[in-house]
Amino acid sequence: MKAVFKAGLAVIAVATSGTALADLTIGVVLPLTGPASGLGIPMQNGFKLWPQTIAGEKVRLVILDDATDPSKGVQNARRLVTEDKVDVLMGSGATPVAIPMADVAAEAKTPHLAMSPAPLPAGKDHWTFRLPQSNGVMANAIVAHMQKSGVKTVGFIGYTDAYGESWLQELKPRLEKASIQLVATERFARADTSVTAQALKLTSANPDAMVIVASGSGAAMPQLALVDRGYKGKYYQTHAAATRDLMRVGGKAVEGTFVSSGPVVVAEQLSDEHPSKAQGLKFVQAYEKMFGAGTRNQLAAHSYDGHLLLEQVVPVALKKAQPGTPEFRAALRDAIENAQAVAVSHGVLDFSPTDHWGFRPDTGVIMKVVNGDWRLER
């Protein structure tokens, strides 16, 4: 396998020998720069674990940087489907970029594996399937833990964009059903460097727990502000914060924090009966061999899971057409939608014609930051 880096475009093209028609071409759009780069960079690393072939077809990866900019993401997606004629479009790791990418995929009739929990209107995800767990699935885990912990009131601070809004809309009905009151709601932009005013309002409400909806190292900033202003209740973070960037930036301030996550981050702590333990351990061992001990994260595992899904569905599509053709792309979309449930590192993917989210409602786990490491809450 030969990697070619084009600095101006932040592109990685994994090239193989053989004709273009024989290649299975995967086009990837990630936020490798900009406010969401903390998501995109580990996702990019996850692609480095992909095999050279899938179902006997040589894999060609083309990875482009969207700079956390929806217009750039759309531009990249259009290039991939028109110039590279990709068989699969993947991305973005940033929800506000993944949403308009879905429109490009639909127009081009190209299967789209979203790398973020992108909410789309009913009927708009015909060509789009999500690799991350839905915010609703992760909210299930958080609210269940709150109930068990006796939480009665909650404060919320999250991004002003689609990721933050989706989390808020998923949390509200679940909190209400659990008789937990949402007493304060604050928002901030991904590029903000201070949330002092929001922290003051939240601490004055003095809820039992705070839910912080942000990603990567940016998830630590609101918590640091709340700790600085004396808030001593429980903290909950979402699956976009399930990386060591949270602990690296937050330090002692994030000790005791509860973080929703896919099971792969604590693979060794799963029961032997857990359906994701085998694939989770395989990912962790391969990833940490390449990038170092303790580097596993929620985000890179989504990239890894992409190839596990394709290994199941590409053979089905190949019975109808060859890569590089519209017929193959249509067959691949149908194969994903009708595939048998497959255990991946993050849970069990079970797509259907009425469910392009895939993961089951009980997929999320809750981890606790203990002595700068993750501990699975049981």
Side-chain angles (χ1 to χ4, degrees):
M1 187 183 299
K2 178 182 178 184
V4 180
F5 295 86
K6 299 182 181 179
L9 294 175
V11 176
I12 300 175
V14 182
T16 58
S17 60
T19 64
L21 188 61
D23 292 343
L24 179 67
T25 305
I26 315 295
V28 185
V29 179
L30 295 175
L32 302 177
T33 57
S37 61
L39 304 176
I41 291 171
M43 287 180 178
Q44 180 186 34
N45 290 340
F47 282 105
K48 296 176 182 178
L49 302 183
W50 274 42
Q52 296 186 45
T53 62
I54 292 177
E57 302 295 322
K58 296 173 182 177
V59 174
R60 176 173 174 258
L61 282 172
V62 183
I63 303 181
L64 305 179
D65 179 17
D66 62 41
T68 323
D69 179 350
S71 61
K72 182 67 173 176
V74 168
Q75 178 185 343
N76 287 343
R78 290 197 186 282
R79 172 203 146 164
L80 290 167
V81 298
T82 57
E83 297 180 21
D84 295 282
K85 301 189 184 307
V86 298
D87 298 296
V88 180
L89 186 64
M90 297 182 67
S92 167
T95 299
V97 184
I99 291 172
M101 281 182 61
D103 290 332
V104 177
E107 291 169 11
K109 293 181 169 57
T110 299
H112 174 212
L113 299 180
M115 301 290 289
S116 68
L120 296 170
K124 289 287 187 178
D125 65 352
H126 182 72
W127 288 88
T128 296
F129 304 83
R130 292 82 164 178
L131 285 174
Q133 300 89 348
S134 72
N135 296 335
V137 163
M138 291 311 206
N140 289 340
I142 285 179
V143 173
H145 189 273
M146 286 179 174
Q147 283 185 290
K148 188 168 66 173
S149 303
V151 171
K152 297 299 182 184
T153 56
V154 170
F156 174 99
I157 180 168
Y159 285 150
T160 55
D161 61 25
Y163 184 67
E165 182 61 25
S166 175
W167 256 98
L168 184 59
Q169 295 310 314
E170 294 289 354
L171 270 173
K172 281 180 175 179
R174 289 168 172 81
L175 292 173
E176 184 176 353
K177 185 177 180 180
S179 298
I180 299 173
Q181 186 179 3
L182 181 64
V183 296
T185 302
E186 295 294 328
R187 310 299 286 276
F188 69 104
R190 285 181 188 257
D192 286 351
T193 57
S194 173
V195 291
T196 299
Q198 296 95 317
L200 287 169
K201 292 177 182 177
L202 288 166
T203 53
S204 67
N206 196 30
D208 296 332
M210 296 285 187
V211 176
I212 298 170
V213 179
S215 61
S217 58
M221 180 185 63
Q223 188 158 339
L224 286 166
L226 288 163
V227 169
D228 285 346
R229 278 144 194 87
Y231 179 73
K232 299 185 183 300
K234 294 179 172 61
Y235 290 92
Y236 289 86
Q237 294 268 2
T238 69
H239 51 322
T243 80
R244 288 188 177 271
D245 282 345
L246 178 68
M247 292 176 273
R248 176 179 58 81
V249 177
K252 292 182 179 180
V254 300
E255 274 289 313
T257 299
F258 300 107
V259 183
S260 62
S261 174
V264 66
V265 183
V266 284
E268 297 93 338
Q269 300 177 50
L270 301 174
S271 69
D272 290 341
E273 294 75 30
H274 196 286
S276 287
K277 184 161 188 176
Q279 287 292 359
L281 288 173
K282 187 175 179 181
F283 163 77
V284 167
Q285 290 162 6
Y287 192 83
E288 296 196 348
K289 181 179 180 180
M290 184 174 290
F291 297 102
T295 55
R296 90 235 354 231
N297 59 84
Q298 166 95 14
L299 308 161
H302 295 317
S303 308
Y304 179 83
D305 286 348
H307 94 264
L308 296 178
L309 174 63
L310 291 177
E311 285 177 344
Q312 299 295 315
V313 298
V314 168
V316 178
L318 285 170
K319 294 177 182 178
K320 296 185 177 180
Q322 290 299 304
T325 65
E327 293 80 9
F328 178 78
R329 293 191 285 273
L332 191 58
R333 191 216 75 88
D334 293 347
I336 295 171
E337 188 175 77
N338 295 290
Q340 294 288 325
V342 54
V344 296
S345 73
H346 263 308
V348 176
L349 278 174
D350 192 9
F351 294 118
S352 74
T354 58
D355 181 5
H356 284 198
W357 287 97
F359 285 109
R360 296 168 177 172
D362 61 349
T363 297
V365 303
I366 295 295
M367 308 182 302
K368 185 177 183 180
V369 179
V370 178
N371 297 323
D373 205 352
W374 302 118
R375 188 183 74 191
L376 178 64
E377 287 283 285
R378 301 187 186 278

